[in-house]
Amino acid sequence: MAEVILKNIKKVYPHSEKKRRRGEQEKKTNLKVTDEGVLAVQDFNLTIADREFIVLVGPSGCGKSTTLRMIAGLEEISGGDLLIDGKRVNDIAPKDRDIAMVFQSYALYPHMTVYENMAFSLKLRKIDPQEIDRKVREAAEILDITQYLDRRPKALSGGQRQRVAIGRAIVRNPKVFLMDEPLSNLDAKLRNQMRAEIIKLRQRIDTTFVYVTHDQTEAMTLGDRIVIMKDGVIQQVGTPQEVFDHPANLFVAGFIGMPRMNLFDASLVLENGRYAVKLGELYVELSEDKQKRLAAKNVAPQEITLGVRPEHISLAGNAAGAVRGTVDVSEMMGSAIHLHANVGGSDVIIIVQTANLSDEEKAGFAMGKEIAFTFSGSIAHVFDRESGKNLEF
Amino acid sequence: MKKQASGLIWTIILSVVSALYLYPIIMVLLNSLKKESAITTAGAFTAPTAETFAGLENYVSALTSQGFGKSLFYSLFITISSVALILLCCSMCAWYISRVNNLLSRMMYLLCAFSMVVPFQMVMFTLSQTADRFRLFFIRFNNPYTICFIYLGFGAGLAVFMFTGFMRSVPIEIEEAAMIDGCSPLQTYFRVVFPILRPTMISVGILETMWVWNDYLLPTLVLDIKKYRTIPMLIQYFRGSYGTVEMGAMMASIMLTVIPVVIIYILGQKHIIKGVLAGAVKG
Ligand SMILES: Nc1ncnc2c1ncn2[C@@H]1O[C@H](COP(=O)(O)OP(=O)(O)OP(=O)(O)O)[C@@H](O)[C@H]1O
Ligand SMILES: [Mg+2]
């Protein structure tokens, strides 16, 4: 239980000697490269409240693990301040930070039984053996691994190992609980099950969590707040609902939501003091709160990139004043149909709920069929065409 | 059919080769059971007959001969201290080499690999001179109690090489977990790394034990022959009470030295092969 504050945290990986000698630069990713080295994380500012569940999410190589490892003390912090419970811990050893970590590869001690694995940290802290026994058994009970306490990790399945790894962390009762992609080695079914268990666990052990994943479903379902990162830079911090409803830029818009948000080249117009978007013949006035935000920033009418999520598009009966396209592929998903439509040469995905459709209508979306669609002004996202920033912010 | 035929040929070839390896040992075994007078060049390969069979007489005289107990003690002491020192120091060194990536660690690794290539004969004379004269804080290295440091030097190459090969296949997260769980670096080593290295410890331990126990040249060069004799040295200088070489007792003591090594090897065979492979594949 503790507040964690990251102030201007920065991580620089120095150039490897060989490359420096050859004057070469690493070009694998879009990470910023300076004279010192590769900037894996930069300008990381975040205040994690006590008992908050924070999820760091982003594509591979964006610096999530690096950030987490800096909090854990496994990676040196190149710049900035890290505060746990108000105390600066930049130069404090991992063991004295009162944190626990669950690794992607579980990292159990292979020569110890499950019981010994879980008791290890308590033994090192010279806690009374009876107390250790009580804590280990309690944690084993919570995680339902009591019957495996005498086994070695080798004799456990992936899911069971993961539980042991979590158990090893919770017996400590740490101030901060760090998890680096703990579910990514599990198969899809087990992953869903463990995700639900982490939610339950969270209610029982009520501490500060920092959780790293590249899976947006995990991020959305687990996090109180989500931190979306790209190339070592925070793109947006917000609740799952916030980042879904108000993506700060095109990257976040594309990263959160499945299938991806549709993007159109459109224009933002200002008529009689009211903002609207114009896409071909379609003219949609934006909702009140969007009007206010745009007006407050005094945004000028301009060419924009318009974003609309597939589930927010509705089919229009008549084609007048709507966007027209032809169906390329129609995927029946059961409760919904995913239409891939060709609109002026680009691919647009539309989700049509099947609940209120007749069988005839359901079968009607054959390839080549002409369709027309609209959307409302409350879910149209307007992005600057150059920078990709959401114009509302 | 073809496969069977080639299999047969290989079996024959390898049988002949192993017979070549075995025949000196068999010869020693046969002669160790003969009476002293029956051990002749001409009859080296004949099995003991009713008249020449000596029973365990030679073994008894070897075991009771003067200096055997002392030599056994020196051999045991040198072997145990050297192997223990090699295991401890080389596993620590390999841990450093595999976890720290800087110039020093790379140089150390290359140096160890290089030391395996240099034949002992190349350095033995300088070594014996150095061992005679060198002293470190009044500690000299020409006696059985400190000779383990010399063995450490010569054994380090192989040991570090094998330990590093295995260590590199161990995920570093385990050590990081230990650090978070509250281990100091020394605790991480002794409570986590050391037990994980156990299989390699066993194979390195067996290889080094066989080498040190059987080694003749190094102790001969370094130790004062008049004062200290390990078992291989004792055999060489086996003499009867009248200055003649007692062949029977000598053969018997050779057998006595070989037996422990054979037992250790048979017990640890599985580990040796595993350990050598781990080093080879992943190193
Ligand atoms: N030792 C290093 N030297 C140089 N660059 C490094 C080093 N370690 C990591 N990086 C770089 O830092 C960036 C961030 O790495 P990090 O492991 O934090 O990514 P991640 O977000 O956890 O990705 P993933 O989802 O694949 O685990 C990567 O682009 C990586 O190439
Ligand atoms: Mg990672």
Side-chain angles (χ1 to χ4, degrees):
Chain A
M1 278 172 277
E3 190 183 48
V4 180
I5 300 172
L6 297 99
K7 265 192 223 157
N8 284 320
I9 292 285
K10 179 170 95 166
K11 177 69 197 180
V12 182
Y13 285 115
H15 296 298
S16 60
E17 285 156 48
K18 241 190 239 156
K19 288 197 172 142
R20 190 161 44 197
R21 242 180 282 139
R22 277 195 250 132
E24 239 176 72
Q25 297 201 328
E26 278 113 313
K27 285 205 210 75
K28 270 180 305 188
T29 51
N30 299 322
L31 294 178
K32 200 165 146 192
V33 179
T34 64
D35 291 344
E36 290 169 273
V38 186
L39 267 171
V41 175
Q42 49 179 316
D43 302 330
F44 200 102
N45 281 296
L46 183 67
T47 301
I48 303 173
D50 186 19
R51 296 172 197 214
E52 191 175 28
F53 197 120
I54 281 279
V55 179
L56 304 183
V57 67
S60 190
C62 70
K64 312 179 290 283
S65 298
T66 306
T67 309
L68 195 74
R69 291 167 57 82
M70 283 193 286
I71 299 177
L74 298 172
E75 207 79 67
E76 212 177 304
I77 299 174
S78 316
D81 297 309
L82 173 66
L83 289 89
I84 297 180
D85 235 0
K87 197 170 132 211
R88 187 173 183 274
V89 295
N90 284 40
D91 305 315
I92 290 182
K95 69 187 174 91
D96 301 322
R97 290 191 186 189
D98 202 1
I99 43 143
M101 182 158 169
V102 177
F103 294 84
Q104 181 177 354
S105 58
Y106 318 132
L108 299 175
Y109 309 120
H111 57 288
M112 298 184 197
T113 63
V114 169
Y115 185 95
E116 289 164 342
N117 260 285
M118 288 165 68
F120 188 58
S121 62
L122 301 177
K123 265 191 211 150
L124 287 170
R125 284 178 171 69
K126 307 230 157 47
I127 288 172
D128 174 45
Q130 276 175 354
E131 175 77 1
I132 294 180
D133 192 65
R134 193 183 60 70
K135 284 190 168 175
V136 170
R137 290 191 189 279
E138 189 184 292
E141 199 65 44
I142 293 176
L143 294 160
D144 199 17
I145 46 174
T146 309
Q147 66 266 46
Y148 309 121
L149 282 178
D150 300 328
R151 289 208 203 162
R152 293 273 166 90
K154 221 161 94 185
L156 296 177
S157 73
Q160 289 159 351
R161 284 181 208 182
Q162 191 58 72
R163 279 163 214 262
V164 178
I166 294 173
R168 185 172 67 180
I170 61 178
V171 290
R172 293 259 313 276
N173 213 351
K175 276 187 193 159
V176 187
F177 207 104
L178 308 172
M179 297 171 125
D180 191 354
E181 311 210 19
L183 307 185
S184 60
N185 278 351
L186 306 177
D187 65 49
K189 196 173 149 214
L190 206 52
R191 200 176 319 159
N192 286 341
Q193 194 187 329
M194 283 301 289
R195 203 172 64 213
E197 293 203 16
I198 290 179
I199 296 175
K200 268 193 270 169
L201 183 73
R202 199 249 160 135
Q203 279 151 7
R204 292 190 66 155
I205 61 172
D206 205 21
T207 179
T208 310
F209 278 78
V210 184
Y211 185 104
V212 164
T213 179
H214 60 255
D215 181 279
Q216 53 156 309
T217 321
E218 271 172 42
M220 298 291 272
T221 49
L222 292 173
D224 290 336
R225 279 195 301 158
I226 305 180
V227 178
I228 298 153
M229 297 178 67
K230 179 194 171 202
D231 299 335
V233 182
I234 295 185
Q235 303 293 308
Q236 188 171 7
V237 183
T239 65
Q241 197 67 53
E242 273 166 19
V243 295
F244 185 81
D245 288 345
H246 308 289
N249 57 35
L250 278 175
F251 175 80
V252 177
F255 192 80
I256 300 289
M258 268 300 281
R260 289 168 68 94
M261 183 184 276
N262 295 303
L263 301 176
F264 306 92
D265 282 345
S267 42
L268 180 71
V269 293
L270 182 58
E271 274 174 28
N272 308 327
R274 312 242 344 133
Y275 285 101
V277 288
K278 211 160 162 285
L279 175 62
E281 286 172 32
L282 182 68
Y283 182 91
V284 177
E285 204 174 271
L286 294 175
S287 61
E288 282 313 317
D289 52 338
K290 285 185 192 269
Q291 296 283 358
K292 259 187 234 146
R293 278 196 291 265
L294 289 174
K297 281 194 67 195
N298 214 357
V299 177
Q302 57 187 290
E303 293 298 300
I304 54 156
T305 300
L306 170 69
V308 184
R309 296 195 184 276
E311 50 271 56
H312 292 153
I313 295 181
S314 45
L315 292 179
N318 71 38
V323 185
R324 260 164 298 184
T326 52
V327 175
D328 272 343
V329 180
S330 140
E331 296 172 320
M332 181 65 198
M333 306 298 242
S335 62
I337 298 174
H338 290 189
L339 292 180
H340 293 250
N342 183 337
V343 178
S346 57
D347 192 43
V348 173
I349 302 176
I350 303 167
I351 296 182
V352 185
Q353 298 298 329
T354 52
N356 300 319
L357 295 184
S358 68
D359 284 352
E360 241 167 76
E361 283 170 311
K362 278 187 223 169
F365 297 109
M367 198 180 137
K369 183 179 179 335
E370 294 273 328
I371 53 164
F373 61 85
T374 62
F375 48 84
S376 84
S378 58
I379 46 71
H381 305 283
V382 291
F383 299 103
D384 187 295
R385 199 172 280 178
E386 241 102 76
S387 67
K389 285 221 173 75
N390 193 329
L391 290 170
E392 290 174 46
F393 299 102
Chain B
M1 284 309 277
K2 229 178 172 180
K3 221 174 180 179
Q4 264 178 9
S6 78
L8 189 69
I9 292 169
W10 273 115
T11 311
I12 293 170
I13 293 174
L14 292 177
S15 307
V16 171
V17 172
S18 56
L20 285 176
Y21 274 96
L22 280 174
Y23 99 91
I25 298 174
I26 291 172
M27 192 182 84
V28 171
L29 178 67
L30 287 178
N31 287 308
S32 72
L33 296 169
K34 288 184 200 165
K35 286 202 174 114
E36 185 70 33
S37 57
I39 302 173
T40 56
T41 322
F45 280 103
T46 51
T49 60
E51 302 128 59
T52 56
F53 184 64
L56 293 178
E57 202 178 279
N58 288 327
Y59 288 85
V60 175
S61 82
L63 284 172
T64 53
S65 71
Q66 208 206 349
F68 189 88
K70 232 175 162 186
S71 293
L72 186 68
F73 167 75
Y74 289 142
S75 268
L76 277 176
F77 186 87
I78 291 174
T79 307
I80 291 170
S81 59
S82 306
V83 172
L85 196 66
I86 289 173
L87 290 183
L88 182 71
C89 296
C90 295
S91 60
M92 277 187 174
C93 174
W95 188 39
Y96 179 85
I97 288 178
S98 60
R99 292 308 185 224
V100 178
N101 183 21
N102 59 20
L103 200 64
L104 178 67
S105 89
R106 280 194 293 267
M107 290 305 294
M108 266 157 57
Y109 188 64
L110 285 180
L111 203 66
C112 286
F114 182 67
S115 80
M116 285 195 289
V117 183
V118 179
F120 177 68
Q121 285 76 358
M122 220 171 106
V123 292
M124 63 185 196
F125 291 110
T126 42
L127 172 80
S128 63
Q129 291 297 312
T130 316
D132 258 351
R133 297 186 189 161
F134 181 68
R135 49 184 74 194
L136 184 75
F137 309 119
F138 308 108
I139 303 171
R140 301 175 61 106
F141 294 93
N142 58 357
N143 64 68
Y145 308 104
T146 46
I147 197 175
C148 52
F149 288 97
I150 298 179
Y151 272 112
L152 173 63
F154 284 100
L158 178 72
V160 168
F161 193 72
M162 283 176 68
F163 279 127
T164 313
F166 184 72
M167 204 61 233
R168 283 188 176 150
S169 70
V170 176
I172 193 166
E173 279 92 349
I174 296 180
E175 291 148 45
E176 291 177 340
M179 276 167 66
I180 290 179
D181 269 351
C183 285
S184 65
L186 267 187
Q187 281 173 318
T188 308
Y189 176 78
F190 282 108
R191 304 189 70 152
V192 177
V193 177
F194 195 89
I196 290 176
L197 281 175
R198 219 186 63 137
T200 316
M201 293 267 171
I202 295 175
S203 41
V204 174
I206 292 169
L207 289 175
E208 304 284 0
T209 304
M210 295 197 311
W211 166 57
V212 179
W213 177 262
N214 288 330
D215 194 24
Y216 168 71
L217 202 48
L218 198 150
T220 313
L221 288 170
V222 172
L223 299 181
D224 183 350
I225 285 169
K226 290 191 196 93
K227 271 204 269 180
Y228 311 110
R229 288 181 190 173
T230 63
I231 289 186
M233 287 160 80
L234 182 77
I235 293 171
Q236 176 65 19
Y237 291 89
F238 223 107
R239 287 174 200 283
S241 30
Y242 306 108
T244 54
V245 178
E246 272 182 58
M247 287 302 267
M250 186 167 161
M251 298 290 165
S253 44
I254 290 176
M255 284 317 291
L256 286 174
T257 2
V258 173
I259 289 166
V261 180
V262 172
I263 292 173
I264 289 178
Y265 184 81
I266 290 172
L267 289 181
Q269 202 183 18
K270 203 176 65 191
H271 294 282
I272 296 185
I273 294 166
K274 251 200 302 198
V276 172
L277 280 184
V281 176
K282 303 221 170 86

